[in-house]
């Protein structure tokens, strides 16, 4: 039996140690440089203050021009390429832009409009058009699907920023600096095995990552068992050492004993990030449509965009983007400024936050026959916390306080509701809370005592990564020697 343990570990290692070394090295890069994305704060910081002089057509006209047969999932008024535009999103469809001055639905973005959007993003930097793409190295994210195809514009700024402009609305939807692009070649792009995409393997990419991770987990588990079996606690070997190996084999043995368990948890949690075989998908996903209390339509919003901007200005709040939001059947206009702050307007009154009772009523409508408990969180906890902006989900604003709603349904569903905008931030049921343990905790050590004590978290992650590199690089050398 022992012989088979050695053989399985050896031949799996020859095939998989290279992937492990790439994962550990690229993981360290990802601690500080994330996959390119345009964060909400960056988006707002590059917008001018909304100027509605001689503007705008009413919301009803904009909705009719965009798509009279469907209700949008979101409505925003923003400045695109120097002009105000209604930006509408539809579930499962492409985003739509309507010229706020003429009420005309805009067609596909051409290269002139793309360059104009780039000039709005940075008026001081010369811009060069780089062509149309459906998907490339820095735009594999499915979040961009509603904006494809994408227009690329290169800015001649200090950061060497490459902009991606929506082919549907003309808005800038992604920026990637030269530093981000360079480090990502050995960071997230490598870590997520994105080199396998775009070469005809896109349909197999998910399964390739899953089964490579599964094989690597099994290999590391076998290696840990063998390492313990070969370590002599009582009687040393003739050499006087507790390990029978020398050179790279000794590094591999001792490194595996010190870091093997952590390597197993890291590879396994990486496997869990792919939601293999849909283990974290709910059998009966919670339908949250009732939280909104209806469809987005003009009748729910008596104030016009001009009136909303004027009321916010009276309060000293300079709006850069306006959003229409429906909560429990009541319409609210949400203003965003350049720093990411928000204000709400309802019935002519400007609010900093929504009353808890308003969100409680809207949340109860999701499951009206189920008992509900709600609490206001004033500090972060294990299930609601902020991450650094470069991390995978760090761009999502996790403001405090936040409202947590718990339902006594079979899935024990939770909702997190933003008191500042009324936005439904997410649904957590039992499978998703399991993912919080098996992926987020084990893979990136999202544990508040560490996250709140940086650089302790950094030291912990880097030391563990070095340990993983010792195991995998020594394994590569041993594997190459065996093959040779």
């Amino acid at each position: 039996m022992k012989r088979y343990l050695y053989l399985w570990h050896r031949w799996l290692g020859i095939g998989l140690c290279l992937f492990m070394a790439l994962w550990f090295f690229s993981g360290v890069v990802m601690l500080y440089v994330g996959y390119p994305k345009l964060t909400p704060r960056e988006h707002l910081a590059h917008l001018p203050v909304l100027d509605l002089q001689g503007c705008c057509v009413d919301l009803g006209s904009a909705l009719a021009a965009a798509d009279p047969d469907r209700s949008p999932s979101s409505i925003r008024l923003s400045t695109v390429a120097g002009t105000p535009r209604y930006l509408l999103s539809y579930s499962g469809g492409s985003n739509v832009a309507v010229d706020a001055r003429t009420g005309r639905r805009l067609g596909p973005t051409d290269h002139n409009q793309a360059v104009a959007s780039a000039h709005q993003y940075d008026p001081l930097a010369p811009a060069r058009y780089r062509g149309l793409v459906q998907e490339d190295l820095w735009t594999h994210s499915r979040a961009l699907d509603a904006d494809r195809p994408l227009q690329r514009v290169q800015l001649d700024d200090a950061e060497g920023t490459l902009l991606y402009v929506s082919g549907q609305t003309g808005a800038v939807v992604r920026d990637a600096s030269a530093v981000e692009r360079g480090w990502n070649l050995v960071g997230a792009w490598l870590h997520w095995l994105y080199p396998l995409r775009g070469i005809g393997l896109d349909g197999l990419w998910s399964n390739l990552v899953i089964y490579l991770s599964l094989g690597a987990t099994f290999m590391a588990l076998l290696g840990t068992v063998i390492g313990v079996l070969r370590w002599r606690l009582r009687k040393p070997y003739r050499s006087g050492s507790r390990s029978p190996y020398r050179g790279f084999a000794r590094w591999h043995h001792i490194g595996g004993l010190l870091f093997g368990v952590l390597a197993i948890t890291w590879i396994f949690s990486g496997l869990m990030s792919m939601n293999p075989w849909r283990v974290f998908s709910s059998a009966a996903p919670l339908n949250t449509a009732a939280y909104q209390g209806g469809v987005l339509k003009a009748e729910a919003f008596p104030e016009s965009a001009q009136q909303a901007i004027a009321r916010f200005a009276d309060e000293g709040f300079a709006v850069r983007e306006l959003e229409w939001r429906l909560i429990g059947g009541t319409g609210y206009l949400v203003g965003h400024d350049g720093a990411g702050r928000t204000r709400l307007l309802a019935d002519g009154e400007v609010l900093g936050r929504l009353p808890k009772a308003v969100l409680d009523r809207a949340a109860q409508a999701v499951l009206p026959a189920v008992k509900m408990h709600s609490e206001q969180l004033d500090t972060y906890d294990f299930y609601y916390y902020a991450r650094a902006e470069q991390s995978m989900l760090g761009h999502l604003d996790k403001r405090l306080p936040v409202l947590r709603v718990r339902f006594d349904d079979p899935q024990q569903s939770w909702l997190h509701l933003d008191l500042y905008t009324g936005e439904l931030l997410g649904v957590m049921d039992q499978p998703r809370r399991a993912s919080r343990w098996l992926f987020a905790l084990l893979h990136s050590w999202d544990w508040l005592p560490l996250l709140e004590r940086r650089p302790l978290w950094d030291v912990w992650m880097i030391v563990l990564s070095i340990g993983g590199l010792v195991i995998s690089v020594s394994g590569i050398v041993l594997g190459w020697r065996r093959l040779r």
Side-chain angles (χ1 to χ4, degrees):
M1 183 63 185
K2 285 185 181 180
R3 181 171 180 272
Y4 288 107
L5 291 179
Y6 286 101
L7 289 174
W8 274 103
H9 178 65
R10 176 185 299 160
W11 290 104
L12 282 172
I14 287 173
L16 294 172
C17 268
L18 178 59
F19 285 101
M20 286 183 58
L22 294 177
W23 282 332
F24 283 118
F25 175 77
S26 58
V28 174
V29 174
M30 290 176 67
L31 298 181
Y32 304 101
V33 183
Y35 193 66
K37 53 181 175 277
L38 182 70
T39 68
R41 289 185 185 275
E42 288 176 322
H43 164 69
L44 291 167
H46 287 279
L47 289 178
V49 175
L50 268 175
D51 180 10
L52 300 187
Q53 187 174 2
C55 181
C56 298
V57 300
D58 61 82
L59 180 60
S61 299
L63 292 174
D67 191 335
D69 299 322
R70 290 192 300 165
S71 297
S73 56
S74 75
I75 308 170
R76 293 177 293 136
L77 180 62
S78 190
T79 307
V80 179
T83 62
R85 295 183 187 179
Y86 287 99
L87 305 177
L88 303 100
S89 298
Y90 295 86
S91 299
S94 297
N95 292 334
V96 174
V98 174
D99 189 310
R101 288 201 170 104
T102 66
R104 180 176 60 89
R105 175 172 173 164
L106 299 175
T109 306
D110 61 27
H111 74 277
N112 290 325
Q113 292 174 331
V115 172
S117 289
H119 281 309
Q120 176 182 294
Y121 181 92
D122 188 342
L124 301 178
R128 291 179 289 113
Y129 180 67
R130 291 282 301 277
L132 184 72
V133 295
Q134 190 69 28
E135 187 172 339
D136 67 4
L137 271 63
W138 317 121
T139 57
H140 288 311
S141 171
R142 298 276 67 86
L144 296 173
D145 285 353
D147 290 298
R148 302 186 198 277
L150 304 170
Q151 300 278 11
R152 296 186 303 177
V153 181
Q154 179 70 58
L155 295 182
D156 291 331
D157 60 352
E159 290 76 29
T161 306
L162 179 62
L163 297 180
Y164 291 85
V165 177
S166 169
Q168 304 296 331
T169 67
V172 174
V173 293
R174 175 145 300 184
D175 61 353
S177 69
V179 169
E180 285 178 321
R181 299 196 303 274
W183 277 109
N184 262 273
L185 291 174
V186 290
W189 184 74
L190 193 62
H191 195 80
W192 296 332
L193 301 185
Y194 276 175
L196 299 176
R197 302 186 66 168
I199 58 172
L201 296 176
D202 290 43
L204 301 173
W205 171 78
S206 179
N207 281 332
L208 281 170
V209 176
I210 287 172
Y211 287 105
L212 284 172
S213 302
L214 188 63
T217 302
F218 184 54
M219 173 197 67
L221 183 61
L222 290 176
T224 302
V225 172
I226 292 168
V228 172
L229 291 175
R230 295 293 284 164
W231 183 264
R232 287 191 175 177
L233 289 172
R234 296 182 179 178
K235 184 180 179 182
Y237 291 93
R238 289 182 181 179
S239 64
S241 171
R242 306 284 178 181
S243 171
Y245 304 109
R246 294 182 178 180
F248 277 99
R250 182 178 177 84
W251 279 96
H252 192 69
H253 186 201
I254 295 177
L257 289 173
L258 291 174
F259 298 101
V261 173
L262 289 167
I264 292 168
T265 60
W266 246 340
I267 302 166
F268 173 76
S269 57
L271 167 66
M272 293 296 101
S273 73
M274 300 298 296
N275 189 17
W277 313 289
R278 301 182 64 81
V279 295
F280 300 127
S281 297
S282 304
L286 184 65
N287 185 349
T288 59
Y291 174 76
Q292 191 169 266
V295 298
L296 283 172
K297 55 184 180 179
E299 292 77 11
F301 304 94
E303 289 96 355
S304 67
Q306 297 94 323
Q307 290 171 329
I309 297 295
R311 284 292 295 116
F312 287 130
D314 290 342
E315 300 290 328
F317 190 76
V319 174
R320 298 199 179 191
E321 190 165 85
L322 197 62
E323 180 184 4
W324 283 259
R325 188 176 292 279
L326 200 61
I327 303 166
T330 301
Y332 296 87
L333 278 82
V334 184
H336 301 262
D337 74 357
R341 296 182 293 261
T342 56
R343 295 290 187 274
L344 301 108
L345 180 67
D347 296 325
E349 183 181 0
V350 175
L351 305 172
R353 289 186 350 204
L354 286 166
K356 178 177 177 293
V358 169
L359 298 183
D360 281 342
R361 286 195 298 271
Q364 186 66 78
V366 174
L367 291 173
V370 175
K371 188 175 181 181
M372 184 190 87
H373 315 270
S374 71
E375 60 178 326
Q376 180 174 302
L377 302 182
D378 296 307
T379 58
Y380 292 126
D381 68 3
F382 188 75
Y383 293 103
Y384 184 83
Y385 57 96
R387 285 297 315 274
E389 192 172 86
Q390 71 272 11
S391 63
M392 188 164 60
L393 299 177
H395 64 288
L396 300 177
D397 202 3
K398 295 294 185 72
R399 292 191 285 187
L400 290 171
V402 70
L403 191 66
R404 175 179 290 160
V405 173
R406 306 172 190 243
F407 292 106
D408 290 339
D409 62 324
Q411 298 292 329
Q412 294 295 295
S413 303
W414 296 2
L415 307 179
H416 285 116
L417 307 174
D418 187 353
L419 286 161
Y420 296 91
T421 65
E423 181 182 359
L424 175 57
L425 299 174
V427 179
M428 293 192 79
D429 53 16
Q430 289 175 329
R432 293 179 188 177
R433 288 195 292 277
S435 174
R436 167 69 180 96
W437 285 89
L438 296 178
F439 166 51
L441 176 64
L442 295 181
H443 203 67
S444 53
W445 286 88
D446 288 358
W447 186 43
L448 287 181
L450 279 177
L451 287 176
E452 294 175 346
R453 290 170 177 81
R454 298 188 70 170
L456 181 61
W457 178 84
D458 302 70
V459 171
W460 174 259
M461 297 294 283
I462 291 172
V463 168
L464 296 188
S465 299
I466 291 173
L469 277 170
V470 168
I471 298 171
S472 50
V473 171
S474 59
I476 290 171
V477 173
L478 296 174
W480 171 250
R481 289 176 177 175
R482 171 64 60 175
L483 287 176
R484 190 176 61 178

